[in-house]
Amino acid sequence: MSLMSFGDKSLDLSLPHVMGILNVTPDSFSDGGVFHSLDAALRQSEKMIVEGASIIDVGGESTRPGAVPVSIQQEMDRVLPVIEAIKKRFDIIVSVDTSTTQVIREAARLGAGLINDVRALERDGALQAVAETVLPVCLMHMKGVPQTMQQQPDYGSVVDDVMQYLLSRVVECERVGIDRSRLILDPGIGFGKTLSHNLSLLNRTSQFKEMGFEVLIGLSRKTMIGDVLNLPVDERLYGTMGANASAYSKGARLFRVHDVRPHVEMLALMSRIEREI
Ligand code: 7PJ
């Protein structure tokens, strides 16, 4: 057992867990933003819960390459009613995919169980906002900003650079009183990385785990899958599952995906085989 507390619930992170993606942006690239309305968001949440998701990740800011920034008020209006409605209706951990201090505060108040920040709490006040809760936080690495991050990203050694960055954010978290037992690390697949960078990071997933942190991987339907297979976004499920299976075998235990049931079933087999001696 390796229990981590997510607000009012806990997960055993010796087992794999699926985090279902719930985009509440009008421009979400792979689901066309069809879950913009509260009703549709609740239906999609219920589907993912029935399919075995352990966490629903609610995001109101598109961070796809080239996406335009969203105002704080817009993000609050999109995300908070959805979090509140899911917590009222279902017995599930809700994660909030945000970098915005006000959203972190309000989401925590409404019962969110995880703060998922693609900017690793770099925005003003974000560290403090998380420190004022008891929630875990996923620190993701991104090089640059979404508008321009895919324009010739460059590293000395991508694995070392990403590791060093995340460890520097761990130090900042500890400085404000966020214990390292609350931290989850994510190499940030597709965030300021070439295909080769993404593949190297996945190949070395175990290095992040060996630093003593739980690892979350988000690669569902991303460009790297399309680049390897030469397939459009709606045909990337099998590739996504292969890459996530690899990450599982290298120690990742949290998987942020669009397609919940296929991953729950794949990971159930991966996990059973690993545990049978
Ligand atoms: C990630 C994320 C990821 C974490 C997005 C997309 C882009 N959060 N939010 N890790 N990606 N922790 O889903 O294509 O990789 S948004």
Side-chain angles (χ1 to χ4, degrees), residues 137-179:
V137 54
C138 178
L139 302 171
M140 198 199 79
H141 172 273
M142 164 159 50
K143 189 179 181 75
V145 297
Q147 287 72 21
T148 55
M149 65 188 177
Q150 291 308 104
Q151 296 169 11
Q152 294 169 349
D154 182 42
Y155 296 86
S157 155
V158 66
V159 177
D160 293 348
D161 291 5
V162 169
M163 177 74 76
Q164 207 172 65
Y165 169 80
L166 290 175
L167 292 178
S168 77
R169 298 311 298 161
V170 169
V171 170
E172 290 306 308
C173 284
E174 290 185 309
R175 208 194 293 280
V176 299
I178 305 169
D179 193 85

Side-chain angles (χ1 to χ4, degrees), residues 105-138:
R105 282 221 165 77
E106 289 304 302
R109 194 178 58 79
L110 292 171
L114 171 66
I115 309 301
N116 173 28
D117 187 1
V118 299
R119 296 179 183 82
L121 307 182
E122 287 218 47
R123 287 215 179 134
D124 282 347
L127 279 164
Q128 199 52 45
V130 172
E132 287 165 14
T133 74
V134 294
L135 300 179
V137 54
C138 178

Side-chain angles (χ1 to χ4, degrees), residues 18-26 28 31 35-38 40-46 48-49 53-63 70 74-88 90 92-100 103-104 106-108 110-118 216 255-258:
V18 168
M19 170 192 262
I21 300 171
L22 186 66
N23 284 317
V24 290
T25 58
S28 314
D31 61 23
F35 305 119
H36 194 39
S37 77
L38 190 59
L42 286 172
R43 273 201 304 275
Q44 177 65 4
S45 299
E46 181 170 34
M48 295 195 290
I49 293 164
S54 301
I55 304 173
I56 304 292
D57 188 42
V58 180
E61 180 209 8
S62 176
T63 48
V70 63
Q74 257 177 326
E75 193 190 348
M76 305 261 274
D77 293 346
R78 287 177 188 173
V79 156
L80 298 177
V82 174
I83 294 172
E84 185 172 30
I86 296 173
K87 285 308 292 184
K88 201 169 282 177
F90 306 113
I92 189 77
I93 298 166
V94 173
S95 160
V96 60
D97 191 342
T98 190
S99 303
T100 309
V103 175
I104 293 171
E106 289 304 302
L110 292 171
L114 171 66
I115 309 301
N116 173 28
D117 187 1
V118 299
L216 186 151
F255 301 87
R256 182 180 177 279
V257 302
H258 300 88

